Amino acid sequence: EFRELLGRVRERALAAFAHQDVPFERLVEELAPSRSMARHPLFQIVFTMQNNAEAVLDLPGVRAEGMSAGTSAAKFDLDVLVGEAFDGEGAPAGVRGSVTVATDLFDPEWAGRIAGYWVRVLETVSADVRTRLSAVDLLDGDERRRVLDEWNDTAAGDVGASVVELFEAQVALRPDAVAVVTAEAISYAELDERANRLAHVLGAEGVGVESVVGVCLDRGVDLVVALLAVWKAGAAYVPIDPRQPVERIAYLLADS
């Protein structure tokens, strides 16, 4: 429920305020973040709730009022500033705010979308604080149709052949043409020969239709040979990055 989330946020915020006397330099020293000129090292999103009393400049014979200094340069990826508004009689009149985004990451349209999503969330949870977070829908009807229907309109006609068949057709058509170029270059004929040899080895090990073969190789000719060989044996492959931790690789193999 949103009410439960709100309670957790309050607890975390109070715990943080209890340690606000810790010097910022000490925090940076303890966290030891990696430095980058492209982003703030500790956080990239800022939310500010402006709830301090507005300063009043009262001078004899002088009337003063605040003026906007204009749009400032974005210091963070996303900067949200809000404050409670009041009517002429001092009664609450909603919340007003602004969203500032880094233009190298977001365009004006997306800044407006982010603000709209946030408003939609507030309207949903303020109507019923017992609303489950999974029930909060950010997308409106047009956006949902675009994501589910338009972006997923990937229907394609049947090409009438498998990848292996299409590859073997190229082998027959131009066997000496270069098929793969990495640190080395091999022809379609050589690639087909190497893939066939490995496919026979896989078949001898019991690999066939409905089998799943883990392929843990760096990018290169050997990887292409292995993928083709798995397909030629009638099986499916699971690509595994050899740079992943051993525990992650073991999980992928067991899950497959």
Side-chain angles (χ1 to χ4, degrees):
E1 294 183 358
F2 173 73
R3 179 172 51 186
E4 180 182 352
L5 173 64
L6 199 60
R8 292 182 182 180
V9 172
R10 182 176 185 275
E11 292 177 2
R12 294 291 182 88
L14 291 176
F17 289 143
H19 299 86
Q20 59 184 320
D21 57 335
V22 175
F24 187 73
E25 293 78 7
R26 174 65 182 279
L27 181 63
V28 173
E29 180 182 344
E30 290 293 331
L31 296 177
S34 57
R35 298 307 181 105
S36 171
M37 295 295 291
R39 57 178 173 78
H40 191 285
L42 295 181
F43 51 86
Q44 288 80 50
I45 298 177
V46 176
F47 176 86
T48 303
M49 178 64 184
Q50 183 57 266
N51 56 359
N52 293 328
E54 185 176 354
V56 177
L57 179 61
D58 189 6
L59 297 175
V62 176
R63 188 181 67 183
E65 61 183 15
M67 294 182 62
S68 173
T71 303
S72 60
K75 299 179 181 179
F76 308 96
D77 294 352
L78 179 62
D79 189 350
V80 180
L81 172 65
V82 298
E84 189 173 4
F86 301 90
D87 60 19
E89 299 180 355
V95 175
R96 300 290 183 271
S98 63
V99 175
T100 303
V101 299
T103 55
D104 56 342
L105 297 176
F106 304 99
D107 56 24
E109 179 185 357
W110 264 106
R113 286 187 185 182
I114 292 172
Y117 293 151
W118 189 53
V119 170
R120 195 169 298 150
V121 170
L122 292 181
E123 289 175 345
T124 302
V125 298
S126 61
D128 185 0
V129 295
R130 294 171 298 180
T131 300
R132 297 188 63 83
L133 297 181
S134 58
V136 179
D137 193 354
L138 294 181
L139 304 180
D140 59 25
D142 291 338
E143 289 175 320
R144 179 169 294 280
R145 183 171 55 256
R146 185 182 308 117
V147 173
L148 296 182
D149 298 332
E150 296 178 15
W151 291 357
N152 283 318
D153 186 14
T154 56
D158 186 3
V159 297
S162 67
V163 175
V164 172
E165 291 171 336
L166 293 173
F167 169 75
E168 291 177 344
Q170 288 297 314
V171 174
L173 183 64
R174 37 187 218 153
D176 297 327
V178 174
V180 179
V181 178
T182 55
E184 60 176 316
I186 64 172
S187 66
Y188 278 98
E190 184 179 357
L191 177 59
D192 188 48
E193 180 184 356
R194 292 173 60 175
N196 284 336
R197 289 203 304 266
L198 181 56
H200 283 108
V201 172
L202 293 174
E205 293 294 330
V207 173
V209 178
E210 303 296 334
S211 297
V212 179
V213 180
V215 179
C216 186
L217 292 168
D218 286 314
R219 292 183 179 182
V221 172
D222 288 341
L223 176 61
V224 179
V225 169
L227 301 185
L228 273 172
V230 172
W231 279 337
K232 283 174 174 287
Y237 66 83
V238 176
I240 300 172
D241 187 348
R243 289 173 292 275
Q244 290 285 341
V246 175
E247 295 80 5
R248 171 66 177 170
I249 294 177
Y251 169 78
L252 285 175
L253 293 176
D255 189 55
S256 299

